Amino acid sequence: MKKLILIDGHALIFKMYYAFLRRPMVNSKGVDTSILFGFTKTLLELILKEKPTHFAVAFDPPAKTFRHEIFPEYKANRSETPELIKSSLEPLCALMEAISVPVLMKDGYEADDVIGTFAKKAEKEGHIVYMVTPDKDYGQLVSDNIFQYKPGKGGSQDELLGKEQICSMYGIEEPIRVIDILSIWGDASDNIPGVRGVGEVGAKKLIAKYKTLENIYENLEELPERQRDSFIDAKPHISLSKKLVTIETNVELDWNEKDLELSTPDFTKIKHLFAEYEFTSLSRMLPQLQQLFDAKPGN
């Protein structure tokens, strides 16, 4: 069975940043290695637990994306990225290179779009796809063979969300309807305007009843007056909101299944990097990793 794991890189970095914020890991050289440790540990645990045949990490590009072009205020509310996160990217890429995990990035598109595009292409080629991210937007991509893998918080179990779980969570018939819910709900952190006064619960109820955003607008007379007025007020920007929350799955990317194959890591380089960062506990995972790759056909 071909299994592809796609990690939302920035989401995982931020998760590790906040996880270690109160008790950072600082080595004997005074270097804060919290993000590097947490990120690498997650990668190794996923490889050992899930035994994927293909693997990649996607990052947002440093420049603005097409969403900023159609809506300059997109993500305008966000504070400056912490320096520790910025400084972690280069050493993280070196660690991933040693582990033989490809890094994906496309100018003008977010990691969501890159992952969405590769997930759909991989599904057509017979892969089971795990999208590793806590981001609710990814629910729209879930299908028979594409799953959202949500890392657990504070020691809790990881969650694997398939079609049944996404549909149950939102009260919808197909995961694609997550787009309609998010369009109504909006997103304050990304500065995406939704429908005033209608939050997560209200959006779920409306889409459960009317199935699509368009059907709500065709039946405005059935809504309570205040809610109807809010939808009327939102009409000038609701199409924009829908475009902003929709993950692009047709990004022009070179799909080469071979490039995403999880190949044998450079164990010499990994040991050197782990020694440099003083990752003693991660070094103990290397014999298991070595055993996994030694057992692969052709090795």
Side-chain angles (χ1 to χ4, degrees), residues 247-290:
I247 294 175
E248 178 60 64
T249 58
N250 291 298
V251 180
E252 288 188 20
L253 292 164
D254 292 328
W255 163 253
N256 188 333
E257 189 176 329
K258 191 79 175 170
D259 290 344
L260 300 186
E261 274 187 13
L262 188 58
S263 53
T264 303
D266 184 337
F267 284 98
T268 302
K269 193 170 183 179
I270 294 175
K271 288 174 184 175
H272 171 76
L273 289 170
F274 282 9
E276 179 184 341
Y277 293 122
E278 301 172 13
F279 290 164
T280 307
S281 62
L282 296 189
S283 295
R284 297 192 194 106
M285 299 173 72
L286 294 182
Q288 284 179 273
L289 196 66
Q290 181 84 60

mmCIF file of all heavy atoms in Angstrom, residues 247-290:
data_model
loop_
_atom_site.group_PDB
_atom_site.id
_atom_site.type_symbol
_atom_site.label_atom_id
_atom_site.label_comp_id
_atom_site.label_asym_id
_atom_site.label_seq_id
_atom_site.Cartn_x
_atom_site.Cartn_y
_atom_site.Cartn_z
ATOM 1 N N ILE A 247 -9.166 25.918 -0.470
ATOM 2 C CA ILE A 247 -7.805 25.457 -0.732
ATOM 3 C C ILE A 247 -7.689 25.105 -2.205
ATOM 4 O O ILE A 247 -8.482 24.315 -2.737
ATOM 5 C CB ILE A 247 -7.453 24.253 0.155
ATOM 6 C CG1 ILE A 247 -7.418 24.683 1.629
ATOM 7 C CG2 ILE A 247 -6.115 23.645 -0.252
ATOM 8 C CD1 ILE A 247 -7.204 23.541 2.608
ATOM 9 N N GLU A 248 -6.712 25.692 -2.860
ATOM 10 C CA GLU A 248 -6.486 25.455 -4.292
ATOM 11 C C GLU A 248 -5.890 24.059 -4.492
ATOM 12 O O GLU A 248 -4.915 23.687 -3.836
ATOM 13 C CB GLU A 248 -5.530 26.519 -4.844
ATOM 14 C CG GLU A 248 -5.178 26.362 -6.302
ATOM 15 C CD GLU A 248 -6.393 26.419 -7.203
ATOM 16 O OE1 GLU A 248 -7.049 27.474 -7.260
ATOM 17 O OE2 GLU A 248 -6.681 25.373 -7.853
ATOM 18 N N THR A 249 -6.487 23.283 -5.377
ATOM 19 C CA THR A 249 -5.990 21.918 -5.609
ATOM 20 C C THR A 249 -5.461 21.722 -7.033
ATOM 21 O O THR A 249 -5.204 20.590 -7.447
ATOM 22 C CB THR A 249 -7.101 20.877 -5.336
ATOM 23 O OG1 THR A 249 -8.220 21.150 -6.185
ATOM 24 C CG2 THR A 249 -7.539 20.918 -3.882
ATOM 25 N N ASN A 250 -5.292 22.832 -7.732
ATOM 26 C CA ASN A 250 -4.775 22.737 -9.102
ATOM 27 C C ASN A 250 -3.575 23.651 -9.317
ATOM 28 O O ASN A 250 -3.434 24.279 -10.365
ATOM 29 C CB ASN A 250 -5.882 23.076 -10.105
ATOM 30 C CG ASN A 250 -6.968 22.019 -10.156
ATOM 31 O OD1 ASN A 250 -6.711 20.870 -10.507
ATOM 32 N ND2 ASN A 250 -8.175 22.392 -9.775
ATOM 33 N N VAL A 251 -2.720 23.734 -8.300
ATOM 34 C CA VAL A 251 -1.497 24.518 -8.425
ATOM 35 C C VAL A 251 -0.585 23.830 -9.441
ATOM 36 O O VAL A 251 -0.488 22.597 -9.464
ATOM 37 C CB VAL A 251 -0.778 24.630 -7.060
ATOM 38 C CG1 VAL A 251 0.503 25.449 -7.190
ATOM 39 C CG2 VAL A 251 -1.702 25.267 -6.029
ATOM 40 N N GLU A 252 0.083 24.622 -10.262
ATOM 41 C CA GLU A 252 0.998 24.053 -11.259
ATOM 42 C C GLU A 252 2.260 23.560 -10.548
ATOM 43 O O GLU A 252 3.168 24.322 -10.256
ATOM 44 C CB GLU A 252 1.348 25.101 -12.318
ATOM 45 C CG GLU A 252 0.188 25.419 -13.260
ATOM 46 C CD GLU A 252 0.609 26.319 -14.410
ATOM 47 O OE1 GLU A 252 1.829 26.390 -14.694
ATOM 48 O OE2 GLU A 252 -0.266 26.954 -14.998
ATOM 49 N N LEU A 253 2.275 22.297 -10.267
ATOM 50 C CA LEU A 253 3.396 21.663 -9.578
ATOM 51 C C LEU A 253 3.794 20.404 -10.324
ATOM 52 O O LEU A 253 2.943 19.700 -10.868
ATOM 53 C CB LEU A 253 2.992 21.285 -8.145
ATOM 54 C CG LEU A 253 2.741 22.430 -7.160
ATOM 55 C CD1 LEU A 253 1.992 21.913 -5.934
ATOM 56 C CD2 LEU A 253 4.039 23.080 -6.726
ATOM 57 N N ASP A 254 5.084 20.145 -10.347
ATOM 58 C CA ASP A 254 5.552 18.917 -10.996
ATOM 59 C C ASP A 254 5.311 17.742 -10.059
ATOM 60 O O ASP A 254 5.945 17.632 -9.003
ATOM 61 C CB ASP A 254 7.052 19.019 -11.316
ATOM 62 C CG ASP A 254 7.337 20.054 -12.392
ATOM 63 O OD1 ASP A 254 6.469 20.232 -13.264
ATOM 64 O OD2 ASP A 254 8.404 20.696 -12.333
ATOM 65 N N TRP A 255 4.374 16.903 -10.441
ATOM 66 C CA TRP A 255 4.071 15.713 -9.636
ATOM 67 C C TRP A 255 4.961 14.577 -10.096
ATOM 68 O O TRP A 255 4.851 14.079 -11.210
ATOM 69 C CB TRP A 255 2.604 15.326 -9.776
ATOM 70 C CG TRP A 255 2.312 13.918 -9.311
ATOM 71 C CD1 TRP A 255 2.032 12.839 -10.093
ATOM 72 C CD2 TRP A 255 2.299 13.442 -7.962
ATOM 73 N NE1 TRP A 255 1.824 11.716 -9.316
ATOM 74 C CE2 TRP A 255 1.980 12.061 -7.999
ATOM 75 C CE3 TRP A 255 2.515 14.045 -6.714
ATOM 76 C CZ2 TRP A 255 1.873 11.288 -6.852
ATOM 77 C CZ3 TRP A 255 2.410 13.261 -5.570
ATOM 78 C CH2 TRP A 255 2.085 11.907 -5.644
ATOM 79 N N ASN A 256 5.895 14.206 -9.228
ATOM 80 C CA ASN A 256 6.766 13.072 -9.511
ATOM 81 C C ASN A 256 6.756 12.178 -8.286
ATOM 82 O O ASN A 256 7.361 12.490 -7.252
ATOM 83 C CB ASN A 256 8.192 13.541 -9.827
ATOM 84 C CG ASN A 256 9.069 12.395 -10.307
ATOM 85 O OD1 ASN A 256 8.841 11.236 -9.957
ATOM 86 N ND2 ASN A 256 10.065 12.711 -11.111
ATOM 87 N N GLU A 257 6.026 11.104 -8.403
ATOM 88 C CA GLU A 257 5.854 10.181 -7.274
ATOM 89 C C GLU A 257 7.194 9.727 -6.708
ATOM 90 O O GLU A 257 7.367 9.608 -5.493
ATOM 91 C CB GLU A 257 5.040 8.974 -7.756
ATOM 92 C CG GLU A 257 4.593 8.033 -6.671
ATOM 93 C CD GLU A 257 3.707 6.925 -7.222
ATOM 94 O OE1 GLU A 257 2.978 7.165 -8.209
ATOM 95 O OE2 GLU A 257 3.757 5.827 -6.658
ATOM 96 N N LYS A 258 8.172 9.517 -7.599
ATOM 97 C CA LYS A 258 9.490 9.039 -7.188
ATOM 98 C C LYS A 258 10.180 10.030 -6.261
ATOM 99 O O LYS A 258 10.851 9.645 -5.302
ATOM 100 C CB LYS A 258 10.351 8.802 -8.434
ATOM 101 C CG LYS A 258 11.640 8.060 -8.177
ATOM 102 C CD LYS A 258 11.404 6.571 -8.048
ATOM 103 C CE LYS A 258 12.743 5.841 -7.901
ATOM 104 N NZ LYS A 258 12.552 4.417 -7.530
ATOM 105 N N ASP A 259 9.991 11.339 -6.533
ATOM 106 C CA ASP A 259 10.649 12.376 -5.729
ATOM 107 C C ASP A 259 10.185 12.380 -4.275
ATOM 108 O O ASP A 259 10.893 12.865 -3.390
ATOM 109 C CB ASP A 259 10.388 13.766 -6.329
ATOM 110 C CG ASP A 259 11.112 13.968 -7.646
ATOM 111 O OD1 ASP A 259 12.026 13.175 -7.938
ATOM 112 O OD2 ASP A 259 10.756 14.909 -8.381
ATOM 113 N N LEU A 260 8.969 11.881 -4.035
ATOM 114 C CA LEU A 260 8.424 11.900 -2.681
ATOM 115 C C LEU A 260 8.631 10.579 -1.931
ATOM 116 O O LEU A 260 8.194 10.449 -0.797
ATOM 117 C CB LEU A 260 6.923 12.230 -2.728
ATOM 118 C CG LEU A 260 6.539 13.566 -3.354
ATOM 119 C CD1 LEU A 260 5.042 13.810 -3.188
ATOM 120 C CD2 LEU A 260 7.319 14.726 -2.751
ATOM 121 N N GLU A 261 9.299 9.630 -2.567
ATOM 122 C CA GLU A 261 9.577 8.366 -1.890
ATOM 123 C C GLU A 261 10.459 8.602 -0.676
ATOM 124 O O GLU A 261 11.405 9.389 -0.719
ATOM 125 C CB GLU A 261 10.279 7.384 -2.835
ATOM 126 C CG GLU A 261 9.324 6.584 -3.689
ATOM 127 C CD GLU A 261 10.053 5.511 -4.483
ATOM 128 O OE1 GLU A 261 11.235 5.247 -4.178
ATOM 129 O OE2 GLU A 261 9.440 4.945 -5.406
ATOM 130 N N LEU A 262 10.131 7.951 0.411
ATOM 131 C CA LEU A 262 10.922 8.081 1.632
ATOM 132 C C LEU A 262 12.158 7.192 1.494
ATOM 133 O O LEU A 262 12.088 5.972 1.621
ATOM 134 C CB LEU A 262 10.096 7.663 2.851
ATOM 135 C CG LEU A 262 10.718 7.923 4.220
ATOM 136 C CD1 LEU A 262 11.030 9.399 4.404
ATOM 137 C CD2 LEU A 262 9.796 7.440 5.329
ATOM 138 N N SER A 263 13.283 7.827 1.193
ATOM 139 C CA SER A 263 14.515 7.065 0.967
ATOM 140 C C SER A 263 15.334 6.951 2.255
ATOM 141 O O SER A 263 15.016 7.581 3.268
ATOM 142 C CB SER A 263 15.344 7.730 -0.133
ATOM 143 O OG SER A 263 15.561 9.096 0.165
ATOM 144 N N THR A 264 16.369 6.169 2.205
ATOM 145 C CA THR A 264 17.183 5.922 3.402
ATOM 146 C C THR A 264 17.843 7.208 3.893
ATOM 147 O O THR A 264 18.499 7.908 3.122
ATOM 148 C CB THR A 264 18.276 4.872 3.098
ATOM 149 O OG1 THR A 264 17.642 3.676 2.631
ATOM 150 C CG2 THR A 264 19.080 4.558 4.349
ATOM 151 N N PRO A 265 17.675 7.525 5.158
ATOM 152 C CA PRO A 265 18.292 8.744 5.710
ATOM 153 C C PRO A 265 19.818 8.682 5.691
ATOM 154 O O PRO A 265 20.412 7.598 5.591
ATOM 155 C CB PRO A 265 17.766 8.777 7.153
ATOM 156 C CG PRO A 265 16.550 7.912 7.160
ATOM 157 C CD PRO A 265 16.840 6.835 6.148
ATOM 158 N N ASP A 266 20.440 9.850 5.824
ATOM 159 C CA ASP A 266 21.890 9.933 5.961
ATOM 160 C C ASP A 266 22.180 9.853 7.464
ATOM 161 O O ASP A 266 22.236 10.869 8.160
ATOM 162 C CB ASP A 266 22.388 11.258 5.377
ATOM 163 C CG ASP A 266 23.896 11.377 5.398
ATOM 164 O OD1 ASP A 266 24.530 10.689 6.214
ATOM 165 O OD2 ASP A 266 24.442 12.177 4.608
ATOM 166 N N PHE A 267 22.347 8.632 7.964
ATOM 167 C CA PHE A 267 22.471 8.434 9.405
ATOM 168 C C PHE A 267 23.716 9.105 9.983
ATOM 169 O O PHE A 267 23.695 9.584 11.124
ATOM 170 C CB PHE A 267 22.453 6.940 9.744
ATOM 171 C CG PHE A 267 21.082 6.335 9.662
ATOM 172 C CD1 PHE A 267 20.673 5.640 8.533
ATOM 173 C CD2 PHE A 267 20.179 6.499 10.700
ATOM 174 C CE1 PHE A 267 19.392 5.096 8.447
ATOM 175 C CE2 PHE A 267 18.898 5.957 10.634
ATOM 176 C CZ PHE A 267 18.506 5.265 9.499
ATOM 177 N N THR A 268 24.778 9.170 9.203
ATOM 178 C CA THR A 268 25.995 9.845 9.681
ATOM 179 C C THR A 268 25.720 11.325 9.924
ATOM 180 O O THR A 268 26.116 11.886 10.956
ATOM 181 C CB THR A 268 27.141 9.688 8.657
ATOM 182 O OG1 THR A 268 27.384 8.300 8.435
ATOM 183 C CG2 THR A 268 28.405 10.371 9.147
ATOM 184 N N LYS A 269 25.009 11.938 8.990
ATOM 185 C CA LYS A 269 24.685 13.357 9.111
ATOM 186 C C LYS A 269 23.698 13.597 10.258
ATOM 187 O O LYS A 269 23.824 14.566 11.006
ATOM 188 C CB LYS A 269 24.096 13.861 7.788
ATOM 189 C CG LYS A 269 24.023 15.374 7.688
ATOM 190 C CD LYS A 269 23.657 15.793 6.269
ATOM 191 C CE LYS A 269 23.656 17.304 6.143
ATOM 192 N NZ LYS A 269 23.317 17.736 4.754
ATOM 193 N N ILE A 270 22.716 12.702 10.382
ATOM 194 C CA ILE A 270 21.737 12.841 11.469
ATOM 195 C C ILE A 270 22.439 12.772 12.824
ATOM 196 O O ILE A 270 22.185 13.605 13.713
ATOM 197 C CB ILE A 270 20.668 11.729 11.402
ATOM 198 C CG1 ILE A 270 19.811 11.875 10.141
ATOM 199 C CG2 ILE A 270 19.750 11.807 12.623
ATOM 200 C CD1 ILE A 270 18.821 10.748 9.944
ATOM 201 N N LYS A 271 23.324 11.803 12.988
ATOM 202 C CA LYS A 271 24.035 11.657 14.265
ATOM 203 C C LYS A 271 24.856 12.900 14.583
ATOM 204 O O LYS A 271 24.927 13.344 15.736
ATOM 205 C CB LYS A 271 24.936 10.409 14.226
ATOM 206 C CG LYS A 271 24.159 9.105 14.274
ATOM 207 C CD LYS A 271 25.079 7.908 14.080
ATOM 208 C CE LYS A 271 24.277 6.604 14.020
ATOM 209 N NZ LYS A 271 25.135 5.433 13.718
ATOM 210 N N HIS A 272 25.474 13.478 13.546
ATOM 211 C CA HIS A 272 26.267 14.697 13.735
ATOM 212 C C HIS A 272 25.382 15.854 14.183
ATOM 213 O O HIS A 272 25.726 16.572 15.128
ATOM 214 C CB HIS A 272 26.972 15.055 12.421
ATOM 215 C CG HIS A 272 27.640 16.393 12.447
ATOM 216 N ND1 HIS A 272 28.830 16.629 13.108
ATOM 217 C CD2 HIS A 272 27.252 17.598 11.916
ATOM 218 C CE1 HIS A 272 29.150 17.901 12.983
ATOM 219 N NE2 HIS A 272 28.221 18.516 12.264
ATOM 220 N N LEU A 273 24.222 16.019 13.528
ATOM 221 C CA LEU A 273 23.307 17.115 13.879
ATOM 222 C C LEU A 273 22.703 16.907 15.265
ATOM 223 O O LEU A 273 22.568 17.845 16.047
ATOM 224 C CB LEU A 273 22.204 17.233 12.828
ATOM 225 C CG LEU A 273 22.632 17.765 11.463
ATOM 226 C CD1 LEU A 273 21.510 17.608 10.445
ATOM 227 C CD2 LEU A 273 23.039 19.244 11.560
ATOM 228 N N PHE A 274 22.335 15.673 15.580
ATOM 229 C CA PHE A 274 21.761 15.380 16.897
ATOM 230 C C PHE A 274 22.795 15.644 18.000
ATOM 231 O O PHE A 274 22.449 16.120 19.084
ATOM 232 C CB PHE A 274 21.278 13.932 16.973
ATOM 233 C CG PHE A 274 19.946 13.695 16.297
ATOM 234 C CD1 PHE A 274 19.345 14.684 15.524
ATOM 235 C CD2 PHE A 274 19.277 12.486 16.440
ATOM 236 C CE1 PHE A 274 18.127 14.468 14.899
ATOM 237 C CE2 PHE A 274 18.051 12.263 15.837
ATOM 238 C CZ PHE A 274 17.475 13.256 15.056
ATOM 239 N N ALA A 275 24.069 15.331 17.720
ATOM 240 C CA ALA A 275 25.125 15.604 18.701
ATOM 241 C C ALA A 275 25.325 17.111 18.867
ATOM 242 O O ALA A 275 25.489 17.612 19.991
ATOM 243 C CB ALA A 275 26.435 14.947 18.261
ATOM 244 N N GLU A 276 25.270 17.835 17.750
ATOM 245 C CA GLU A 276 25.454 19.297 17.783
ATOM 246 C C GLU A 276 24.354 19.975 18.601
ATOM 247 O O GLU A 276 24.613 20.880 19.392
ATOM 248 C CB GLU A 276 25.448 19.848 16.352
ATOM 249 C CG GLU A 276 25.599 21.357 16.276
ATOM 250 C CD GLU A 276 25.486 21.881 14.855
ATOM 251 O OE1 GLU A 276 25.642 21.090 13.892
ATOM 252 O OE2 GLU A 276 25.229 23.099 14.698
ATOM 253 N N TYR A 277 23.092 19.494 18.400
ATOM 254 C CA TYR A 277 21.966 20.112 19.114
ATOM 255 C C TYR A 277 21.703 19.460 20.482
ATOM 256 O O TYR A 277 20.844 19.902 21.227
ATOM 257 C CB TYR A 277 20.704 20.029 18.258
ATOM 258 C CG TYR A 277 20.777 20.861 17.002
ATOM 259 C CD1 TYR A 277 20.612 20.274 15.751
ATOM 260 C CD2 TYR A 277 21.038 22.226 17.061
ATOM 261 C CE1 TYR A 277 20.688 21.029 14.590
ATOM 262 C CE2 TYR A 277 21.117 22.992 15.899
ATOM 263 C CZ TYR A 277 20.945 22.382 14.668
ATOM 264 O OH TYR A 277 21.026 23.132 13.529
ATOM 265 N N GLU A 278 22.466 18.393 20.783
ATOM 266 C CA GLU A 278 22.342 17.667 22.052
ATOM 267 C C GLU A 278 20.974 16.997 22.192
ATOM 268 O O GLU A 278 20.330 17.045 23.238
ATOM 269 C CB GLU A 278 22.637 18.613 23.236
ATOM 270 C CG GLU A 278 24.025 19.222 23.157
ATOM 271 C CD GLU A 278 24.280 20.314 24.192
ATOM 272 O OE1 GLU A 278 23.490 20.457 25.151
ATOM 273 O OE2 GLU A 278 25.286 21.034 24.039
ATOM 274 N N PHE A 279 20.543 16.346 21.104
ATOM 275 C CA PHE A 279 19.268 15.626 21.090
ATOM 276 C C PHE A 279 19.497 14.172 21.507
ATOM 277 O O PHE A 279 19.365 13.248 20.703
ATOM 278 C CB PHE A 279 18.639 15.682 19.700
ATOM 279 C CG PHE A 279 18.128 17.040 19.301
ATOM 280 C CD1 PHE A 279 17.849 17.316 17.964
ATOM 281 C CD2 PHE A 279 17.902 18.036 20.230
ATOM 282 C CE1 PHE A 279 17.357 18.555 17.582
ATOM 283 C CE2 PHE A 279 17.425 19.286 19.865
ATOM 284 C CZ PHE A 279 17.149 19.545 18.533
ATOM 285 N N THR A 280 19.854 13.977 22.750
ATOM 286 C CA THR A 280 20.185 12.631 23.244
ATOM 287 C C THR A 280 19.005 11.666 23.108
ATOM 288 O O THR A 280 19.154 10.524 22.651
ATOM 289 C CB THR A 280 20.626 12.696 24.717
ATOM 290 O OG1 THR A 280 21.681 13.650 24.836
ATOM 291 C CG2 THR A 280 21.109 11.335 25.187
ATOM 292 N N SER A 281 17.822 12.134 23.503
ATOM 293 C CA SER A 281 16.652 11.232 23.465
ATOM 294 C C SER A 281 16.282 10.863 22.032
ATOM 295 O O SER A 281 15.825 9.747 21.772
ATOM 296 C CB SER A 281 15.456 11.880 24.179
ATOM 297 O OG SER A 281 15.068 13.079 23.545
ATOM 298 N N LEU A 282 16.474 11.790 21.089
ATOM 299 C CA LEU A 282 16.165 11.477 19.689
ATOM 300 C C LEU A 282 17.186 10.494 19.118
ATOM 301 O O LEU A 282 16.841 9.672 18.260
ATOM 302 C CB LEU A 282 16.141 12.756 18.845
ATOM 303 C CG LEU A 282 15.063 13.790 19.181
ATOM 304 C CD1 LEU A 282 15.039 14.897 18.113
ATOM 305 C CD2 LEU A 282 13.679 13.154 19.279
ATOM 306 N N SER A 283 18.415 10.571 19.599
ATOM 307 C CA SER A 283 19.451 9.633 19.131
ATOM 308 C C SER A 283 19.066 8.196 19.452
ATOM 309 O O SER A 283 19.413 7.268 18.721
ATOM 310 C CB SER A 283 20.798 9.967 19.789
ATOM 311 O OG SER A 283 21.256 11.235 19.367
ATOM 312 N N ARG A 284 18.321 8.039 20.545
ATOM 313 C CA ARG A 284 17.903 6.683 20.931
ATOM 314 C C ARG A 284 16.868 6.096 19.962
ATOM 315 O O ARG A 284 16.597 4.898 19.990
ATOM 316 C CB ARG A 284 17.323 6.701 22.348
ATOM 317 C CG ARG A 284 18.313 7.114 23.418
ATOM 318 C CD ARG A 284 17.773 6.844 24.822
ATOM 319 N NE ARG A 284 18.558 7.536 25.839
ATOM 320 C CZ ARG A 284 18.160 8.619 26.495
ATOM 321 N NH1 ARG A 284 16.958 9.130 26.254
ATOM 322 N NH2 ARG A 284 18.923 9.191 27.407
ATOM 323 N N MET A 285 16.265 6.950 19.135
ATOM 324 C CA MET A 285 15.272 6.478 18.166
ATOM 325 C C MET A 285 15.927 5.986 16.879
ATOM 326 O O MET A 285 15.277 5.335 16.057
ATOM 327 C CB MET A 285 14.279 7.612 17.833
ATOM 328 C CG MET A 285 13.491 8.123 19.024
ATOM 329 S SD MET A 285 12.494 9.600 18.635
ATOM 330 C CE MET A 285 11.198 8.870 17.609
ATOM 331 N N LEU A 286 17.200 6.311 16.696
ATOM 332 C CA LEU A 286 17.860 5.998 15.422
ATOM 333 C C LEU A 286 18.008 4.501 15.141
ATOM 334 O O LEU A 286 17.860 4.093 13.982
ATOM 335 C CB LEU A 286 19.222 6.700 15.348
ATOM 336 C CG LEU A 286 19.150 8.234 15.304
ATOM 337 C CD1 LEU A 286 20.543 8.827 15.188
ATOM 338 C CD2 LEU A 286 18.277 8.709 14.132
ATOM 339 N N PRO A 287 18.290 3.649 16.129
ATOM 340 C CA PRO A 287 18.352 2.212 15.823
ATOM 341 C C PRO A 287 17.034 1.680 15.249
ATOM 342 O O PRO A 287 17.048 0.853 14.323
ATOM 343 C CB PRO A 287 18.659 1.585 17.188
ATOM 344 C CG PRO A 287 19.391 2.643 17.932
ATOM 345 C CD PRO A 287 18.740 3.929 17.516
ATOM 346 N N GLN A 288 15.897 2.163 15.790
ATOM 347 C CA GLN A 288 14.590 1.756 15.244
ATOM 348 C C GLN A 288 14.440 2.217 13.799
ATOM 349 O O GLN A 288 13.937 1.486 12.942
ATOM 350 C CB GLN A 288 13.459 2.372 16.071
ATOM 351 C CG GLN A 288 13.186 1.729 17.400
ATOM 352 C CD GLN A 288 12.052 2.459 18.114
ATOM 353 O OE1 GLN A 288 12.285 3.440 18.816
ATOM 354 N NE2 GLN A 288 10.847 2.003 17.915
ATOM 355 N N LEU A 289 14.888 3.461 13.563
ATOM 356 C CA LEU A 289 14.793 4.020 12.209
ATOM 357 C C LEU A 289 15.670 3.228 11.250
ATOM 358 O O LEU A 289 15.258 2.896 10.138
ATOM 359 C CB LEU A 289 15.210 5.494 12.238
ATOM 360 C CG LEU A 289 14.833 6.346 11.030
ATOM 361 C CD1 LEU A 289 13.319 6.509 10.926
ATOM 362 C CD2 LEU A 289 15.489 7.723 11.112
ATOM 363 N N GLN A 290 16.887 2.903 11.698
ATOM 364 C CA GLN A 290 17.806 2.110 10.884
ATOM 365 C C GLN A 290 17.193 0.746 10.561
ATOM 366 O O GLN A 290 17.250 0.277 9.419
ATOM 367 C CB GLN A 290 19.126 1.925 11.638
ATOM 368 C CG GLN A 290 20.179 1.117 10.876
ATOM 369 C CD GLN A 290 20.974 1.970 9.921
ATOM 370 O OE1 GLN A 290 21.628 2.903 10.315
ATOM 371 N NE2 GLN A 290 20.904 1.629 8.625
#
